Every structure is written in structure tokens, then in C-alpha cells.
Amino acid sequence: MADIKTFYLPDLGEGLPDATVVEWHVKVGDSIKLDAPLCAMETAKAVVDVPSPYTGKVTKLHGAPGDIIETGAALADFEPDPNAKQRAEAESTGHHHGPKKSVGSPVADDRKVVASDEGGEVEETTAAREDEGTVVGAMVSGSHVHVEQAASIGGVRAVPAVRALAKKLKVDLARVRPSGADGVVTMKDVKDAAANGSAALGAAPARAVPASAGRHLAPELPQPGHASQEPTRTATSLAGKPVRTAPPSQQAGGQPEQLKGVRRNMARVMADAHAQVVPTTLVDDADLHAWIGKQDITARLIRAIVFACKTVPALNAWFDGKNLSRTLHPHVDIGIAVDTDDGLFVPALRNADVLDTAGVRAAIKRLRTQVEDRSIPASELSGYTISLSNFGMFAGRYATPVVVPPTVAIVGAGKLSHDVVAVIGGIEVHRRMPLSLTFDHRAATGGEAARFLKAMLDDLALPN
């Protein structure tokens, strides 16, 4: 009887309890070599290739694209080739299942697998650790940086994040013209192909359909005895646009959708924050009437937060509720909330206290670009000391932003408005910015929070 080996999903180095299958690079019956790409897996922070732990034949795949696999659960079965050299059982392979780490902690991991700007994947190690088995592949702890080249699959060279983007945008990678070094397909190549439609997956000639065609389609009649299955009917409004109607007996429809990747992690983090933090929110309005000329609103917000952190250090801190200890930070790393279709990302604007306006703008632009194309290093999504949610760019005046442990505070900036303000001798119309400050009342007093908010208001009131 053939010797069948089961490969279990390792901890991908991010302390998360599961990952989602993006794409299998093999099928049952295929032969694969040791460390060749087996599949692409998506976590809350990155899309990474999982290499094969054996040379041999694939006998079973535990999951289809889109399925969620728990860390430590079976991923694939192999029949190792008895004539091929296999990795020794006792050799450090990176496939050991180390103890799970707490979810949502900015300091949970000191080693990350990240996507580099060049399209490869980089393993960053900041300190030696006892467990060498939290990252997939034959990697050993140390202070070196290991770079994986883009894998060639089906004749196309691309990293997992690019393949995931192509699948999401329904782009056929085989039809994309690569612009990267050595014929590697880049994020930009995929986005360009999606924009111009030159490499649509399974593309077929489009057939024009008159806008009025739907008005003359007879609705499908329900079958006798199946009133609950009455179909949705199509009608037209007085403006001539199609509208959807349904009989009163038909309930609202919709299929449950399993949360994956970023949204799945967001749900966990928010639930943990709700359970652990004692939040209190203060609100006020910053008066921007004295501003001279056009100014970068986000940069001014960042500057005001930095000034407030220096004035009241208690809110630029981490709090350990279990041990009742806090850490005050001399530097200011601001987590900037970025909303995407995939969910919420919070990249860290490092050393905001030493950046000028141009530096802040350049850093934010870089972070947003990396978030959008999923190339942001995992290390940049944790370790911030305070957070900012600039939701006012969409709508809303005040809010109760969520403080994510171990941070102590988060600032919410609302939509700018022109308000009537009472002044000596009459009234004036001033431009104002609503501010909301949520803080963990276990770690900071109401007075400290009020002084922090006052410092922000004072800095934002300055002409420039």
C-alpha cells in the first residue's frame, strides 16, 4: 500500500486561526517537486504561496478555491516518490505548527511574510525566536532576509498577490503582456488589462441588447401549488427605467456569505475590542477660520495629533488590561484607517512626529497604493501607537470610533462644514471640522482626554 502523507496548513506567520484558498497550482494526480508552489492562500494581510513539503504525487486536495482552512487542518495528501530525495523529518521545514498567537495584537509577530514592491515575497525577521515553524517553506530563524522569486505556473510568471488580483478582476494572466523583469506580470499589468478588456477571462463578443428589450419580456408564471416560489417581476417606471417588483408573499432573498480574508479578521478584531475596551468618546469642533490659503487637511490632522501626543502622552500609549500596565511611547506611529472593497486596513504612518507636510503626504500615498494592490508589508499593518479615522471625506459629523487594543485612543475626523459662529459684535460663518476622540477609560482619565482634544483644537486653529 502506498505511503500517504497528509500536509496540514501551517501558521503563516500572522497568528491567525485560518486562511482562504485562493488558487490551487496543482490538481489531484499531478506530480510535484519539493518546495514547488502548491497553492495560494489569502490571510487578512497577504496572499502567499504555500510550497509543497514533498516530491511526489498529489492524491487529495482538502478544499476548493474560496474555502476557509483552519490552521493545523489538512490541506493536501501526497504519495511521496520513494526514489526522490525528501526533506528529513527532523529537518526544520517551516511546517511545524507552533502555538497560536493572540489575534489583533500589533506586536503578536516578530516575523512576517510580505509582498515586496518588486513582486517577490520577503520574509522579515526582527529577532530570533524559539519557534521556527510559523512560516511556510524551508526557512530558518535568523537576521537574514529571504526573497522568493515569482513562480512560473502555466507559463506565466507572477507572485500570489498578482494571481489573486487577476482572479478577482477576471483577467486571464496568460493573455496579459508582462512588463516586469524577466517577464514577470505585475499588478499594473493586470489592472491595465482589466481596464482595457484585452485579457478578459473567457471573453466572448458582446452582443448589444436594446434598453427597451426587458420591457417586453413576459414574466415566468408560477407553478401551481408553489406560491412561495413566485418569481420577481420586471416592470418599468414612469421614467421608462426598469424596476423590480415582487409579490407580497415573497420574502426578501439573499444567500449567506462566509467572511474571508480581511473582513473575517476585521470581525474578530472588532469583537475583541468590544469585549476588552472601556470606551468613552468626547466630541468638539475645530475652527479652521484662521487658515491661510489652501492647506492639506490630512497633514494638518496628523500634525495636530502629534502635537496632542506630545502635550498629553497618556493617549499615545499601549495598555495591557490583563497585567494592568501601560507603555508610553516617545515616538508617534499613527494607524490610518483605509476603507476598501475587501474590508478595513489600518497601515501605520511611522514616525509621524518627524515628518513635514510633504513627507506625510508622500507616506500616505505610498500606504494607500500598497493597500489597494495588496502589496503592503504585514509589518506595516501593526504596531501603531494611536489611530485616525478620517470618515468625513465620505459623510458624517461625529462618531464613536473603535479603540483596538493595545492602543488607548483613536481620533475620528468628520465632514467639514460652514457653521454660524457667535463672535463679539455679531455672528460669522466659519469653516469647522468635527472631531471625535474615543479613548480607553481604563488607561486615561477624562481630564487627560479633554486636554488631548484641546491641544488638537489649538493646533488646528493656527493659520498654518
Side-chain angles (χ1 to χ4, degrees):
M1 184 175 177
D3 182 21
I4 302 299
K5 296 285 189 180
T6 299
F7 174 46
Y8 301 93
L9 178 65
D11 180 350
L12 297 179
E14 300 177 4
L16 298 177
D18 52 47
T20 303
V21 178
V22 174
E23 177 186 16
W24 286 103
H25 300 321
V26 296
K27 60 182 181 296
V28 173
D30 283 355
S31 294
I32 190 170
K33 292 187 178 298
L34 179 69
D35 288 332
L38 175 65
C39 65
M41 302 292 293
E42 180 183 21
T43 68
K45 300 176 181 177
V47 179
V48 297
D49 262 341
V50 177
S52 171
Y54 303 104
T55 294
K57 185 172 71 174
V58 179
T59 60
K60 185 175 182 179
L61 303 177
H62 295 270
D67 286 353
I68 297 171
I69 309 295
E70 292 186 358
T71 300
L75 185 61
D77 292 350
F78 298 85
E79 181 182 333
D81 184 349
N83 299 317
K85 183 179 179 181
Q86 305 286 353
R87 186 179 290 118
E89 292 290 340
E91 183 180 347
S92 177
T93 65
H95 298 141
H96 171 70
H97 309 301
K100 292 184 179 181
K101 303 167 187 61
S102 60
V103 178
S105 171
V107 291
D109 306 311
D110 53 9
R111 182 198 292 165
K112 304 290 183 181
V113 174
V114 303
S116 73
D117 293 336
E118 302 300 323
E121 292 176 4
V122 178
E123 180 197 3
E124 293 184 345
T125 304
T126 58
R129 57 193 293 169
E130 294 180 3
D131 176 19
E132 297 179 353
T134 57
V135 177
V136 179
M139 300 178 182
V140 180
S141 296
S143 59
H144 69 283
V145 175
H146 174 78
V147 178
E148 288 186 7
Q149 299 299 323
S152 178
I153 301 172
V156 178
R157 292 176 57 80
V159 297
V162 171
R163 295 183 185 278
L165 179 65
K167 185 172 183 178
K168 179 178 179 181
L169 299 180
K170 293 181 171 58
V171 169
D172 185 353
L173 279 177
R175 299 169 60 188
V176 176
R177 178 173 295 180
S179 65
D182 299 323
V184 173
V185 178
T186 66
M187 288 283 187
K188 184 176 185 303
D189 296 336
V190 173
K191 290 180 179 179
D192 290 346
N196 59 37
S198 62
L201 195 62
R207 183 167 60 91
V209 178
S212 60
R215 305 176 194 171
H216 308 294
L217 295 178
E220 182 182 344
L221 297 177
Q223 296 180 5
H226 294 276
S228 63
Q229 297 181 5
E230 293 178 82
T232 298
R233 290 173 168 80
T234 302
T236 53
S237 67
L238 294 177
K241 296 183 178 181
V243 295
R244 186 175 59 187
T245 63
S249 60
Q250 183 170 321
Q251 297 181 349
Q255 295 296 322
E257 178 184 354
Q258 189 74 258
L259 294 182
K260 300 172 184 176
V262 181
R263 287 189 182 276
R264 190 175 182 85
N265 186 59
M266 179 180 70
R268 292 195 187 102
V269 171
M270 293 297 105
D272 287 344
H274 178 73
Q276 296 177 28
V277 174
V278 181
T280 304
T281 301
L282 296 178
V283 299
D284 210 326
D285 295 282
D287 195 317
L288 315 182
H289 188 63
W291 281 17
I292 299 175
K294 184 177 180 180
Q295 298 194 37
D296 189 321
I297 296 175
T298 302
R300 285 296 303 264
L301 266 171
I302 297 295
R303 192 185 82 177
I305 291 174
V306 168
F307 177 72
C309 287
K310 298 300 182 182
T311 304
V312 188
L315 273 70
N316 185 47
W318 288 345
F319 181 71
D320 183 343
K322 183 177 180 180
N323 297 310
L324 295 181
S325 64
R326 70 173 182 173
T327 303
L328 302 181
H329 298 286
H331 60 282
V332 182
D333 291 347
I334 303 178
I336 308 290
V338 177
D339 180 64
T340 74
D341 292 339
D342 292 328
L344 181 68
F345 287 79
V346 186
L349 177 65
R350 303 292 183 193
N351 301 312
D353 49 319
V354 297
L355 295 176
D356 58 12
T357 298
V360 167
R361 177 49 54 189
I364 291 178
K365 182 178 180 180
R366 173 181 57 81
L367 292 173
R368 287 188 181 277
T369 299
Q370 290 180 330
V371 164
E372 289 172 0
D373 62 20
R374 297 297 296 271
S375 65
I376 187 165
S379 58
E380 293 303 309
L381 293 170
S382 62
Y384 41 85
T385 61
I386 192 170
S387 304
L388 167 65
S389 176
N390 191 8
F391 59 85
M393 61 186 300
F394 302 114
R397 287 182 66 86
Y398 308 106
T400 55
V402 178
V403 176
V404 177
T407 58
V408 169
I410 178 172
V411 174
K415 186 177 181 180
L416 272 69
S417 62
H418 288 84
D419 300 332
V420 175
V421 177
V423 297
I424 296 177
I427 59 173
E428 294 179 351
V429 176
H430 289 191
R431 186 167 63 152
R432 302 203 301 174
M433 179 191 298
L435 295 178
S436 303
L437 172 65
T438 297
F439 64 100
D440 189 340
H441 215 326
R442 299 173 304 167
T445 68
E448 288 169 329
R451 289 192 291 275
F452 184 97
L453 186 56
K454 177 64 164 56
M456 284 194 66
L457 296 176
D458 289 346
D459 189 78
L460 287 168
L462 297 175
N464 49 44

